[in-house]
């Protein structure tokens, strides 16, 4: 059924556009994933764009639901309400490099659409300004310019819209045509695309989003050239022979002959805008660096960073400026989007811990996601390998603090941060399993309360063809022990048995502060008491952190042990680690101690004894 067109850009148009864009990306997701060869050939751009728009659409629906649940008469949301929700939802839900840039594109549009808080709608002229602001905002958010990417496509869309006159439908059509022409030219601008015979995956996703914008205002989705229509892009097939550039230009499977020329013209023909190659120096920023970290995007032969780090950050503007400089020196593919105290940070680095620590110095990072590209993934081969290739095995772990995120990531794990009072849902664990991009996954929940959540995530991942083994780790220190014996080159079952044995042989404890009076296995505790929990049960009640921790350690080592692991929380008192290390040296011969900084992990101290 044809979409009922929206005459003006109002709140309902925002809602309709988000829904149509989500459907379009859902249909194109696998195709976009398959042509993802830059900046990292990890085959997830379509998925990341879909998840980003899904978050935006969910936020917009929540605004409408809130108004519909209000007292009669029901007042529909304003354009500003809907635009702000769209931008905020995309920001907090942005995934990957292209998803983060798309979030900034939507934020740029929202800055124009919501400029007049009481306005009910805007017209074609307002849409032109919004598209221009979107392209400029996205370009300013990215550290180093590379043309032939989604930024080039966004610029061309804004340029084409700027040269058009008429209602929102006319402007949207012009933007879509300009984007299509720019997308067609991306293999000529970026060598890695030309060599693979594909267009830019992020740009391809933006074309789908703009096609949804056209459908919002005209009721008809712009068609793409079919096999017998206008000529598509030329170029060699992707290795494996299954994806060619021409197939990348077929978006929603529509072959409407009346609209076929929207994306059928070659760059430079009437009605299409060829991208302006000179834009790279404007606005002091642009798209991702090339895989060699130099930003020229010509060869893509050099080895790239090992980790992708993404997190939300609560910080002031000045601190974010310093953060950009710090992260720019650590890696590449740096994108920092957002504003008004909330930011989404994306970077590729070799030292994931340093990237997270930089965020801690700038403000409060959370929802930290770290993905290990793998020693043998396509990132180290300049995108010349088929982009859908998976690594054989990966570890996915839930960790309770930013410090442990870095530790686990450096050991090769894909992490999910669980902040105090914010346990991850099963969907977050499933997403982490997908991000690991492996045929076999070992899942470490590191929390007894997450066993059912982790089991549900593992079952869902298995339905997608991923072999998942759930090791019921109950503490992060058990996860550390399991990771220490992980050997991805041995048989999966043998690896799982070894990791399970190491985790099971590790007794765990934590030192926390009681928040209220309660009955415990060790007696009655009062609010403010220091509690020592061993294997989940309160074993020691005290008033001093170090003394309580010593009591816990003595109980654990009375049964023997060879290695003590201490993980200090941010609020642990100074000197407690040194005191415990001294206690072990003096009282327990041949027992080693290792100390880690856990960050904001909830507990003052985690203890493991192996």
């Amino acid at each position: 059924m044809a979409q009922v067109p929206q005459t003006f850009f109002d709140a309902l148009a925002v809602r309709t556009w988000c829904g149509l864009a989500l459907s379009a990306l859902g249909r194109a997701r696998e195709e976009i994933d398959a042509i993802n060869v830059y900046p990292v050939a990890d085959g997830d751009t379509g998925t990341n764009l879909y998840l980003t728009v899904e978050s935006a659409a969910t936020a917009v629906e929540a605004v409408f639901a809130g108004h519909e649940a209000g007292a009669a008469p029901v007042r529909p949301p304003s354009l500003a309400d809907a635009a702000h929700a769209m931008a905020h939802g995309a920001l907090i839900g942005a995934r990957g490099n292209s998803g983060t840039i798309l979030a900034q594109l939507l934020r740029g549009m929202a800055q124009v659409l919501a400029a007049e808080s009481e306005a009910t709608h805007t017209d074609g002229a307002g849409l032109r300004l919004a598209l221009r602001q979107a392209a400029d905002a996205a370009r300013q958010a990215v550290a180093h310019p590379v043309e032939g990417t989604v930024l080039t496509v966004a610029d061309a869309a804004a340029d084409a819209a700027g040269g058009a006159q008429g209602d929102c439908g006319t402007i949207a059509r012009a933007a879509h045509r300009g984007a299509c022409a720019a997308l067609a030219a991306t293999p000529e601008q970026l060598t890695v695309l030309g060599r693979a015979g594909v267009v830019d995956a992020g740009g391809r996703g933006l074309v789908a989003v703009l096609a949804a914008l056209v459908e919002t205002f005209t009721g008809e989705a712009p068609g793409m050239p079919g096999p017998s229509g206008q000529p598509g892009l030329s170029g060699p097939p992707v290795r494996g022979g299954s994806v060619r550039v021409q197939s990348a230009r077929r978006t929603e499977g529509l072959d409407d002959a009346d609209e076929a020329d929207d994306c059928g013209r070659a760059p430079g023909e009437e009605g299409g805008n060829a991208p302006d190659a000179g834009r790279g120096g404007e606005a002091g920023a642009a798209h991702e660096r090339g895989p060699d970290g130099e930003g020229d995007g010509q060869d893509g032969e050099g080895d790239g960073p090992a980790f992708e780090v993404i997190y939300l950050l609560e910080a002031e503007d000045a601190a974010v400026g310093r953060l950009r400089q710090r992260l720019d020196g650590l890696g590449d593919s740096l994108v920092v989007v957002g504003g008004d105290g909330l930011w989404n940070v994306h970077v590729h680095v070799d030292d994931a811990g340093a990237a997270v620590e930089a965020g801690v110095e700038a403000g409060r990072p959370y929802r930290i996601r770290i993905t290990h590209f793998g020693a043998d993934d396509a990132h180290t081969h300049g995108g010349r390998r088929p982009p859908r290739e998976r690594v054989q095995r990966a570890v996915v772990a839930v960790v309770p603090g930013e410090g442990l995120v870095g530790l686990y990531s450096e050991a090769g794990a894909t992490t999910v941060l669980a902040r105090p009072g914010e346990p991850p849902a099963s969907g977050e664990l499933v997403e982490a399993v997908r991000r690991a991009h492996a045929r076999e996954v070992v899942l470490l929940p590191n929390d007894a309360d997450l066993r059912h959540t982790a089991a549900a995530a593992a079952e869902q991942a298995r339905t997608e063809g991923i072999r998942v083994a759930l090791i019921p780790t109950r503490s992060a220190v058990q996860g550390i022990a399991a990771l220490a014996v992980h050997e991805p080159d041995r048989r999966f079952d043998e690896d799982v048995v070894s990791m399970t044995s190491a985790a099971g042989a590790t007794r765990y404890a934590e030192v926390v502060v009681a928040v209220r009076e309660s009955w415990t296995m060790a007696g009655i505790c009062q609010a403010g008491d220091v509690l020592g929990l061993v294997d989940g049960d309160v074993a020691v009640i005290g008033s001093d952190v170090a003394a309580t921790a010593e009591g816990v350690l003595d109980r654990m080592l009375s049964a023997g042990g060879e290695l003590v692991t201490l993980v200090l929380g941010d609020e642990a008192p100074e000197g407690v680690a040194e005191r415990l290390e001294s206690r072990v040296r003096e009282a327990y011969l041949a027992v080693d101690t290792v100390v880690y900084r856990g960050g904001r992990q909830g507990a003052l101290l985690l203890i493991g004894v192996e």
Side-chain angles (χ1 to χ4, degrees):
M1 179 180 293
Q3 174 66 37
V4 177
Q6 302 294 316
T7 305
F8 296 104
F9 207 152
D10 57 9
L12 183 57
V14 173
R15 184 188 202 182
T16 301
W17 180 32
C18 287
L20 291 173
L22 186 62
S23 297
L25 288 170
R27 293 190 294 271
R29 180 181 61 81
E30 291 186 1
E31 175 196 324
I32 296 172
D33 281 347
I35 64 171
N36 172 203
V37 298
Y38 181 83
V40 181
D42 48 359
D44 62 359
T45 291
T47 300
N48 287 337
L49 290 170
Y50 178 87
L51 292 171
T52 301
V53 173
E54 181 181 46
S55 183
T58 299
V60 172
E61 289 299 325
V63 167
F64 272 84
H67 280 263
E68 290 165 0
V74 175
R75 182 180 69 85
S78 67
L79 174 59
D81 292 336
H84 277 310
M86 173 185 69
H88 182 73
L91 177 67
I92 64 174
R95 300 291 191 273
N97 205 331
S98 293
T100 307
I101 293 170
L102 178 60
Q104 189 70 350
L105 286 166
L106 297 179
R107 177 179 171 81
M109 290 192 71
Q111 288 173 336
V112 173
L113 299 177
E116 297 182 20
S117 59
E118 298 303 319
T120 59
H121 65 271
T122 191
D123 55 12
L127 178 55
R128 277 201 310 271
L129 292 174
L131 289 168
R132 180 75 270 163
Q133 175 63 18
D136 291 345
R139 189 168 282 272
Q140 292 167 9
V142 188
H144 294 277
V146 173
E147 295 303 330
T149 61
V150 63
L151 289 188
T152 306
V153 176
D155 276 331
D159 290 344
Q165 299 292 329
D167 60 13
C168 288
T170 301
I171 302 303
R173 283 190 189 280
H176 181 254
R177 291 191 185 101
C180 286
L183 180 67
T186 55
E188 302 166 12
Q189 296 176 291
L190 201 53
T191 302
V192 67
L193 300 180
R195 182 169 55 229
V198 297
V199 294
D200 179 66
R204 168 65 181 84
L206 180 57
V207 165
V209 172
L210 291 173
L213 187 65
V214 174
E215 187 176 0
T216 298
F217 294 117
T218 67
E220 298 177 353
M224 292 302 200
S228 61
Q230 296 281 345
L233 299 178
S234 61
V238 170
R239 292 182 183 271
S242 60
V243 180
R244 294 179 181 270
V245 172
Q246 186 170 355
S247 70
R249 301 182 62 206
R250 244 174 262 129
T251 50
E252 285 78 53
L254 299 168
D255 290 320
D256 185 345
D258 292 335
E259 297 296 329
D261 69 341
D262 272 2
C263 273
R265 294 190 179 98
E269 290 185 14
E270 183 179 355
N273 288 345
D276 179 2
R279 293 193 60 88
E282 295 184 12
H287 198 61
E288 307 107 327
R289 285 185 179 178
D292 57 0
E294 294 300 323
D296 58 14
Q298 292 184 358
D299 298 322
E301 302 291 350
D303 291 348
F307 301 102
E308 177 184 59
V309 179
I310 307 173
Y311 50 79
L312 292 178
L313 177 70
E314 294 176 357
E316 300 297 325
D317 290 3
V320 171
R322 294 189 294 271
L323 175 66
R324 289 180 193 269
Q325 295 179 349
R326 172 83 180 277
L327 293 179
D328 194 30
L330 290 175
D332 59 37
S333 295
L334 174 60
V335 187
V336 181
V337 304
D340 301 322
L342 181 62
W343 308 82
N344 191 306
V345 179
H346 171 283
V347 68
H348 294 172
V349 293
D350 281 319
D351 189 344
V356 175
E357 289 170 7
V360 173
E361 292 174 4
R364 174 181 175 259
Y366 61 104
R367 291 195 186 181
I368 300 171
R369 298 187 299 277
I370 299 180
T371 302
H372 185 243
F373 289 125
D376 191 38
D377 76 0
H379 189 74
T380 63
H381 296 294
R384 291 172 292 165
R385 216 178 62 180
R388 296 300 294 168
E389 185 72 18
R390 291 180 179 271
V391 298
Q392 183 61 31
R393 189 175 308 158
V395 176
V396 173
V398 180
V399 292
E402 296 92 342
L404 288 181
V405 166
L407 174 66
Y408 271 76
S409 298
E410 288 165 8
T414 297
T415 61
V416 178
L417 179 64
R419 300 192 63 81
E422 300 177 17
S426 62
E428 292 179 74
L429 300 187
V430 172
E431 182 192 332
V433 171
R434 291 170 181 153
R435 283 191 288 118
H437 210 59
R439 298 181 184 90
E440 301 167 340
V441 171
V442 180
L443 181 57
L444 306 176
N446 290 340
D447 186 336
D449 292 336
L450 287 178
R451 61 188 184 278
H452 296 306
T453 301
E459 188 62 32
Q460 174 60 38
R462 292 182 188 117
T463 67
E464 300 178 11
I466 304 171
R467 188 180 185 187
V468 181
L470 172 61
I471 298 179
T473 49
R474 294 173 289 176
S475 170
V477 292
Q478 289 188 323
I480 292 172
L483 267 180
V485 300
H486 170 53
E487 292 185 16
D489 292 333
R490 64 184 165 193
R491 290 179 59 248
F492 184 63
D493 291 340
E494 292 177 357
D495 197 29
V496 171
V497 169
S498 178
M499 295 176 71
T500 302
S501 297
T506 302
R507 300 189 70 196
Y508 67 96
E510 58 182 326
V511 177
V512 299
V513 175
V515 296
R516 61 180 178 274
E517 181 181 356
S518 180
W519 288 87
T520 75
M521 296 284 291
I524 301 175
C525 71
Q526 304 294 327
D529 283 348
V530 180
L531 308 180
L533 290 81
V534 178
D535 294 336
D537 293 323
V538 176
V540 180
I541 301 175
S543 58
D544 178 75
V545 173
T548 302
E550 277 191 346
V552 168
L553 196 55
D554 286 340
R555 282 174 176 262
M556 298 176 75
L557 287 172
S558 64
E562 298 176 354
L563 176 66
V564 173
T565 300
L566 304 176
V567 182
L568 300 176
D570 276 353
E571 297 181 3
E574 290 291 332
V576 65
E578 291 79 3
R579 179 169 169 178
L580 294 177
E581 286 182 288
S582 176
R583 174 66 177 172
V584 171
R585 282 195 305 270
E586 294 172 0
Y588 303 96
L589 298 178
V591 177
D592 296 322
T593 305
V594 60
V595 180
Y596 301 110
R597 296 282 176 179
R600 301 183 184 96
Q601 62 184 21
L604 297 173
L605 178 68
L606 300 178
I607 304 174
V609 173
E610 302 176 45

